[in-house]
Amino acid sequence: MLRVVTGSAPQLEVEKPLVQKVNSNDLLSLNGRADLAAPTWLGWSCDQFNASTLAGIVSSPVSSVRLPGKALLQLTIKEGSLIPGAIYVFRLAGSTTFDAIAAEASSTVTFSTHYVPKIIQATSEVTISVNRPPRDGSLLITPINLAKTYALSEFRFRTQGWVDDVSDYPMDVAMGYYRVEIRDMISVSDWSTKTEQIVLLGEGFENLDYVVTGVAQARDVFGGIGQVFVKRQVLPHPDPAVASAGVAALLIQANATKNSELFDQVLYAAVAGINKRGIICGKFTADFCRNLGREPCGQGVSES
């Protein structure tokens, strides 16, 4: 072990984030700046984590020794590492008095050096508040005509009950639905304060009992998003000829009124009717079919 004593205390400053709250699912980078008159040990810590836990949630070095001059020490915290609603204090410390300990690396014959500060001479810290996204919301999907629960019928989407911290308002909402995976969701109501929308739904897939999944999302002023899901059975239209004529009329109406939402809804519903079970080729995997918006028929190539 070698003790290093180099000189005067470092000047440290941790930059404050540009926003009042950060979101847990975002990558968080903290910047510490140092003005060093001598070789200096610099290291990060957090009031909510021990050293090993902190090292496990970051993708940058927690500490290092820097030479004299101006230095930047960044701490990058991985997405999902911080708890929504929690408050953390991150601290950057510096010392010109530290031990240099040589340790043999576990898998090689080479040696590495571990630095341990003996006297903390300077610190700078920043408080991080983690946003808690909107919560407790609900979504109702109900047919306008109780006798019409099949494709290309009108359904009312209504979301309500969302709550959030007072400082997180205003809040806006968006709604949509999908058949198999959320990545294929079609938007039926873009971000706005509107909480209700009349929607023309397409049928679900036969092998999923004709069930589709509705989604309502609420977003606060800091970009935190909460979401709720609800399932709804939408049967095939009982008369394909009537459905086909209805699609054509609705597309003409959507084009004439420049209603892009209606156009997307009708097109999405029509595609569901076309992509019925049993009409797809058995040369491909189920994922290949899903990526094309087609319903897997169960006769494709095995994915194993």
Side-chain angles (χ1 to χ4, degrees), residues 147-182:
K148 294 183 177 181
T149 58
Y150 47 79
L152 297 173
S153 300
E154 291 185 330
F155 291 76
R156 177 180 284 108
F157 276 54
R158 177 184 294 163
T159 185
Q160 57 191 9
W162 295 99
V163 297
D164 208 344
D165 299 336
V166 174
S167 61
D168 295 358
Y169 286 88
M171 185 190 309
D172 53 4
V173 298
M175 293 178 286
Y177 79 101
Y178 63 91
R179 297 187 183 88
V180 179
E181 297 180 353
I182 193 171

Side-chain angles (χ1 to χ4, degrees), residues 5-206:
V5 181
T6 60
S8 58
Q11 302 297 312
L12 307 178
E13 180 184 7
V14 178
E15 296 179 355
K16 294 182 178 180
L18 298 177
V19 293
Q20 181 182 348
K21 294 183 179 182
V22 302
N23 290 302
S24 175
N25 57 351
D26 291 339
L27 190 72
L28 174 62
S29 292
L30 301 177
N31 293 319
R33 300 187 181 278
D35 192 353
L36 310 176
T40 303
W41 173 91
L42 297 172
W44 290 97
S45 63
C46 178
D47 65 333
Q48 300 293 328
F49 303 119
N50 60 35
S52 61
T53 301
L54 180 62
I57 66 169
V58 301
S59 56
S60 57
V62 174
S63 65
S64 63
V65 170
R66 299 296 180 90
L67 297 177
K70 296 187 182 298
L72 172 66
L73 194 69
Q74 189 175 68
L75 187 70
T76 303
I77 302 163
K78 300 173 184 176
E79 299 97 325
S81 300
L82 305 182
I83 299 173
I87 297 176
Y88 300 83
V89 177
F90 289 91
R91 182 177 293 110
L92 177 63
S95 175
T96 57
T97 302
F98 52 88
D99 292 337
I101 304 173
E104 185 176 348
S106 59
S107 59
T108 68
V109 296
T110 60
F111 288 82
S112 61
T113 303
H114 179 57
Y115 299 98
V116 180
K118 301 307 294 181
I119 302 173
I120 298 299
Q121 297 171 295
T123 62
S124 180
E125 63 185 37
V126 63
T127 299
I128 299 296
S129 296
V130 185
N131 184 34
R132 189 180 180 193
R135 52 206 174 271
D136 299 337
S138 64
L139 173 64
L140 297 175
I141 303 177
T142 54
I144 299 299
N145 184 336
L146 295 178
K148 294 183 177 181
T149 58
Y150 47 79
L152 297 173
S153 300
E154 291 185 330
F155 291 76
R156 177 180 284 108
F157 276 54
R158 177 184 294 163
T159 185
Q160 57 191 9
W162 295 99
V163 297
D164 208 344
D165 299 336
V166 174
S167 61
D168 295 358
Y169 286 88
M171 185 190 309
D172 53 4
V173 298
M175 293 178 286
Y177 79 101
Y178 63 91
R179 297 187 183 88
V180 179
E181 297 180 353
I182 193 171
R183 66 179 182 178
D184 301 320
M185 182 177 72
I186 177 176
S187 171
V188 300
S189 179
D190 207 355
W191 293 109
S192 71
T193 57
K194 183 170 60 175
T195 59
E196 186 173 313
Q197 178 73 16
I198 304 300
V199 180
L200 289 171
L201 285 182
E203 66 188 78
F205 286 152
E206 181 183 358

Side-chain angles (χ1 to χ4, degrees), residues 281-287 298-304:
C281 178
K283 295 182 179 180
F284 304 102
T285 65
D287 275 346
Q299 300 174 3
V301 177
S302 173
E303 298 175 1
S304 58

